[in-house]
Amino acid sequence: MKKSVKLILVAMFAIGMFGMTGCEDHQERYETPPWLGGSSIEILTERGNYTTFLALMEKANYTEPISKQLFSLFVPNDAAFDAYFKSIGKNSVNDLTKDEAVSLFTLHVLRNPRSRFNLVYEFAWNEFQGPYQDIKMGEYASLFHRKETPSTSIPYPEVVKYDTPSQRRGTELLIYTGTKNVPLFTEEFFTDYGGDINGSDYVFMYPGSTWKKDYTSNLKGMNWHNAQVIPNPKIPDELEVRTASGFIYFLDRVVPIMPNIEEYMRNNQDKFGIYYDILQRFALYGTSKVDEQQRVQYQKSYQQVFDLAHERGPSAGNAGVIPPQNMWTAFLPTNDVMQNYLNNTVFKYYSTLDSVPTVTLFYILQTQLSRSLVLMSKLKKGYFNAFGDATNISQSDISSGYMCSNGVVYESKKVLEPNVFTCVPGLLFVDKNYSTLLYVLQKTNNLSVLSNPDSHVTLFASTNKTLEEYGIRYNATGDRIEFRSPADGKWNAMSTLDLNFFAQDQIFKGGLSDFGGDGTFVENLSGNYIKYGNNKIAAGENQFSRNLAGVDDVVKNERNGFLIKVNKPIQSRFVMGQYLVSDPEVSEFTALLVKANLLDLRTRDAVTKEVIPNLKFLAVAKYWTGFIPTNTAMQKAREEGIIPEKYPTSTAGKDSINSFIMYHFVKDDVVFDDGVSQKGIYKTNRTYKDTDGKTTLNATVAISNIPKNLSLTDVSEQVVKLDHAKANILVRKGVCHKIDTVLKYYK
């Protein structure tokens, strides 16, 4: 044991001695090579033309970190700083505040030393990227062009203009931003992004900047925001200058304090003030912090619309796992262009912007935005807006460009319109009489259904007044659609199911324009059927309450269909259970359903508190046709022994009653006596076991569908004719027909 301990101590001593000599060898081996020169600060001092940059570094308190750590510096010379100070009305670094110095200097600094190769082919955690296209790392290539710097905007005061969830209207808040991401534009980026490698896209975004000026033939373009990286004065065939403490890139101009798109609009309201004013209705002031002076600062953001105040642009989430590539693009109409557009649209119906529906304002704002960088050269290939709509815009529609820290602003000569404005639902966005229906369609995500120019649709449009008379309204305070309960008269938020049914009841996928004649049946988007004719339209509830919707006007849309102005909404809140209970002529069959525990007369709607009889088995299928025996038919069936006089007590008897009932309901099909539905064999809801004793089958009934003269042939080969006067009772999920002879499910 003692011998083992001695051996361990000897080994540890030997390892220690080896480590000491290894350290000495390491120091000698990795001495700074003579060709590398001194540190970045030493090189800038020796060259003598970068005194302003060094003075700015000192004022920003960065001299010590840069002298002790590894950085990449983007350095303009003294002449470039002189030009910059002149442009902002200052003489020198001494005229800058400490915050201004920090904000400006840090736009010229990157943590860690990066060669040109490493700058171009940035790496981000959990992403496949790199310059090599033959391996999986080549997916993003040079697209990770945005570099996060320590720079932020100087906190600034802002008065909250409109109400926010925190009710701060009229309050002055101090606003801070996130860190700035400076875009690095290179020839490789434009190649991989499909832009112009010769610089036309770049100079359009950066008017007055240069691209590849004085470059040798083997150098590829490289610009740090608005500044061109100029060749290394000592090695003209290179752009990077290697130093003992990192890399230096010399710039032909100063990168100015950089606003994001939100700040740029705020500072240029003389040009974009109307758009910016509309945008403020979507502003939030949420995240807050306390600075060194104990001032509360707030971070501004936007809800619903793209968050143009977010420094990282469309890349949201954890900074370490999000590819630093995307930027917003804002096609901002000038005030005169925007005012003219509003005058010719919403102001024909609304007196002020405050009264315009927020959904209309949202579409106006969002349509001018893209969640990716749009280059002028790529507009020729087509452009799709934020909603995926193909949009006609060309470089001739753009006056100029301006690159911000989170995206580019293009000054637009026209307001871009989304498909929802130019397709069938367009009128709803500007006509105040239809704002409730607009909100209904928006909240149920049905606007996209109505705005595909390649798919014809018909929309039945009711005014706010007629909707409220029916019992539907929009509550602006709660931003919700409400329904007035027939049970207690109270207004409550509509359930998601009822709201979706109602919205889709107003939509037919196809073109309908002629509502004359005797009429016909069609299925609306909801799956419920309507009947139209004699310029009247009815779903189940319209039909039952004899409150048919009249056609006031047919508005043809040149792109994708028709908007039908109706004097009452399409109403389908009428289920089969309600019909059965309401019609005294089928009361005996209804009573039998109750005794069989198939019809629940006590089902209460949790929201409206209505008691709505529920035919339980309807939930298993989307479509149903009920052939409902009249009391006359039921009495005849008892006399013939088809059903017992009294409800059976035995299990076998109950089964036969259930089979009798279920055989009167056709499952998965809706059949009218209009001759449209093909004659054939239809599956009923009565089931039985096949001869193998295992397979469950549905009993069938044969239907011959001659217009107004439908007949059924049951299992017993009995033919039952349908009286047209008792046919086509519309209900949700299908239709009911009254028959004067019951169907037999056995031979």
Side-chain angles (χ1 to χ4, degrees), residues 623-641:
Y623 299 107
W624 292 92
T625 300
F627 292 98
I628 312 301
T630 61
N631 293 344
T632 300
M634 293 292 287
Q635 184 57 41
K636 213 188 312 182
R638 288 192 182 94
E639 291 172 357
E640 295 175 2

Side-chain angles (χ1 to χ4, degrees), residues 235-250:
I235 311 176
D237 284 342
E238 292 186 3
L239 296 179
E240 59 197 30
V241 180
R242 300 169 183 83
T243 77
S245 57
F247 288 88
I248 296 174
Y249 297 90
F250 291 112

Side-chain angles (χ1 to χ4, degrees), residues 192-196 201 373-383:
D192 292 332
Y193 199 64
D196 180 16
D201 290 321
L373 177 62
V374 178
L375 302 178
M376 287 295 104
S377 65
K378 296 179 73 171
L379 283 180
K380 299 173 185 177
K381 303 173 185 176
Y383 170 68

Side-chain angles (χ1 to χ4, degrees), residues 126-150:
N126 295 347
E127 297 293 342
F128 295 153
Q129 79 277 350
Y132 307 111
Q133 300 301 327
D134 58 337
I135 58 174
K136 68 179 182 179
M137 292 175 62
E139 182 179 349
Y140 290 103
S142 62
L143 297 181
F144 290 178
H145 71 295
R146 300 183 67 209
K147 313 302 177 184
E148 186 174 8
T149 69

Side-chain angles (χ1 to χ4, degrees), residues 167-218:
Q167 300 296 309
R168 295 195 181 101
R169 185 172 187 170
T171 304
E172 184 177 272
L173 304 177
L174 193 62
I175 308 300
Y176 75 96
T177 71
T179 55
K180 303 289 181 180
N181 288 261
V182 176
L184 178 81
F185 287 106
T186 62
E187 204 165 314
E188 292 91 335
F189 169 80
F190 287 115
T191 297
D192 292 332
Y193 199 64
D196 180 16
I197 63 172
N198 295 315
S200 66
D201 290 321
Y202 176 81
V203 296
F204 196 89
M205 296 184 291
Y206 293 96
S209 293
T210 57
W211 180 258
K212 294 186 69 172
K213 183 180 178 182
D214 299 327
Y215 275 33
T216 58
S217 60
N218 68 316

Side-chain angles (χ1 to χ4, degrees), residues 28 44 113 218-219 298 319 337 354 397 437 498-499 535 537 563 598 610 612 656 665 696 702:
E28 291 174 359
L44 292 175
N218 68 316
L219 286 179
Y298 295 86
V337 172
D354 290 333
D397 296 316
L437 180 58
D498 283 343
L499 186 57
N535 285 316
I537 307 166
L563 182 138
L598 295 174
E610 299 168 272
I612 302 176
S656 65
F665 294 91
T696 299

Side-chain angles (χ1 to χ4, degrees), residues 408-442:
V408 65
V409 170
Y410 292 125
E411 182 181 321
S412 178
K413 300 175 186 177
K414 68 179 184 180
V415 174
L416 307 180
E417 288 196 299
N419 284 347
V420 288
F421 282 14
T422 58
C423 288
V424 164
L427 180 69
L428 309 185
F429 287 88
V430 297
D431 191 335
K432 63 182 179 182
N433 294 310
Y434 295 93
S435 60
T436 299
L437 180 58
L438 174 61
Y439 280 113
V440 167
L441 296 171
Q442 181 227 4

